[in-house]
Amino acid sequence: MNNKFFFGIAGYALLLCVNGCATSVQINQPADNYITTGNKQFLLAKQAPISAETSARGAVIKIDKRVRYQKFIGAGAAITDATAINLNRLDAPSKERVLNELFSRGGLGFSFTRLTIGGSDFSDRHYSFSDKKGEFSLSTIKDTIIPIAKEAKRINPALTIMATPWSAPSWMKTTDSMIGGTLRRENYDDFADYLLRYTDEMGKAGVKVSMLTIQNEPDFSPPDYPGMKLSPQDRADFLKNHLGPKMGTRKDTPKILEWDHNWDKPEQPLAVLNDDGARKYLTGVAWHCYAGNVATQNEIHNAHPEMETYFTECSGGEWNKSFSDSFVWQMDNLIIGSTNAWAKGVLMWNLALDENYGPHLGGCGNCFGVISINSKTKEITRDSEYYSFGHLSKFVMPGAVRIGSTQDIAGLKNVAFQNPDGSIALLVLNKTDSKQAFSAQIASKYYNAELLPFSAITIIFK
């Protein structure tokens, strides 16, 4: 998207900044900046400040605070059962240090996370919170996920928590199992009650769930871990005739997001969004990275600009051991690509795994977490996910607004945000194998920089 006014559908897509926008800060001070290089020479490393100049050197990225897009809620990763198990292997002071490193504003500043409603492939057993009709208990996670989510929220009060089921409880399904099958039609109300009971009980436990999706990856039926296919027609029926009406009688209900699956099948969320009865209960659409292209987010936004966009799952793994390749791909597609395609929040999958890529039960046997905690030595390893997401979450605050910046510059990708305090964060990625010079222009001032091959920089203009 270029820095010209982009109108999407009937001008809805763009908000112009008029009286009251936070644009009064005068950008003249030297700009702080942090870089990560593909060769690991620099890892979120602070560099010498960049001074304002009167002329440009290299390609110009013009930042326009008047062109304003979506409001950002944050970036982060999921607190899965595996995450909780690994963090709980640490002694109390070490766990506190790690959580502060990940969630505090002095650390990475993660302000978005995802919880699983019951077991997933990254659990040590497959479970739900309701073993039979009329029963419900959070006992499985009361000493694991719940205290970690509460501590993360204490460290960062701006933390937004979403939650997703991998499967309905076994007794509601055609397979009578957490694995495979679909939801029995006579149990649609039971499943709606289950989701709402979960948010109620989590709230009572001190964990406010602000967003829900009704099914993780509803077009995929895993053979060895919890999953459940739900067609677009079934999801629309469930929303408009079961979950939605039950939500309408309540005072404080979470936002509901559609899809929570890959970029490659936009026709599925479109089918649900085009159903008027279902759409009125939806707030937005959630996306995963495992198939398709991030540009699909633009397609859905343009068709339904009233819907919010969130990116909610991606994982690196042993299939790509190159730090440089993984880092560049994540910056290109998730950090810059997804936010330029309207994402208000961006999530990786597991926050913490061990040296054996788990614990897990079925599913991915070689996925990476944002961090790895060695189960024997307790050593912490930070891989590409840590640094790519850090370039966003550490410097772009909840409540920041994406603003205009010149796109389509050969070899360079970028996105810009204005923070609530008026400061501006510009993220730039050099995808090429050669050094690239560029200049960030704000009004009549130029901030000139050179970016090493396969590297990213975040520049903060105060």
Side-chain angles (χ1 to χ4, degrees), residues 447-461:
Y447 291 79
N448 298 310
E450 286 189 332
L451 193 51
L452 295 170
F454 307 124
S455 300
I457 188 170
T458 299
I459 307 174
I460 304 96
F461 307 95

Side-chain angles (χ1 to χ4, degrees), residues 42 48 97 126 141 178 219 222 244 324 334 358-359 367 370 380 441:
F42 298 101
R97 282 195 298 272
H126 298 157
I141 61 170
M178 296 283 287
D219 194 48
S324 180
L334 309 184
C367 282
V370 172
I380 308 294
Q441 180 187 356

Side-chain angles (χ1 to χ4, degrees), residues 162-330:
M162 72 169 290
T164 301
W166 263 239
S167 170
S170 301
W171 58 271
M172 301 182 193
K173 295 178 64 184
T174 56
T175 54
D176 291 312
S177 169
M178 296 283 287
I179 298 174
T182 190
L183 187 64
R184 288 193 185 99
R185 196 156 297 275
E186 62 265 29
N187 292 117
Y188 275 35
D189 277 333
D190 292 317
F191 189 46
D193 290 338
Y194 176 76
L195 296 179
L196 294 175
R197 180 72 180 274
Y198 169 82
T199 65
D200 289 345
E201 296 301 318
M202 289 294 280
K204 292 175 185 176
V207 179
K208 179 177 174 56
V209 175
S210 298
M211 291 189 287
L212 282 177
T213 53
I214 63 175
Q215 175 59 40
N216 178 67
E217 300 187 344
D219 194 48
F220 177 54
S221 183
D224 57 0
Y225 66 92
M228 185 173 74
K229 273 200 168 188
L230 281 177
S231 71
Q233 294 73 28
D234 289 340
R235 299 197 303 276
D237 179 9
F238 178 72
L239 282 164
K240 67 184 177 184
N241 297 318
H242 303 276
L243 181 62
K246 288 177 180 291
M247 290 172 55
T249 64
R250 299 157 61 92
K251 292 182 179 179
D252 187 19
T253 57
K255 294 179 178 181
I256 307 298
L257 307 181
E258 159 59 7
W259 193 220
D260 214 1
H261 207 168
N262 294 327
W263 293 317
D264 63 331
K265 294 185 177 179
E267 68 277 6
Q268 287 229 9
L270 274 175
V272 179
L273 294 174
N274 289 338
D275 185 309
D276 293 343
R279 186 178 63 250
K280 69 180 181 180
Y281 295 113
L282 290 168
T283 297
V285 181
W287 298 98
H288 296 185
C289 75
Y290 306 113
N293 187 283
V294 66
T296 301
Q297 294 179 191
N298 283 320
E299 179 183 341
I300 304 302
H301 172 84
N302 292 341
H304 287 278
E306 77 282 4
M307 287 289 132
E308 297 176 354
T309 300
Y310 295 90
F311 182 84
T312 53
E313 187 185 314
C314 192
S315 183
E318 281 292 333
W319 53 87
N320 187 353
K321 294 184 178 182
S322 166
F323 177 94
S324 180
D325 289 350
S326 294
F327 176 77
V328 169
W329 191 92
Q330 291 156 16

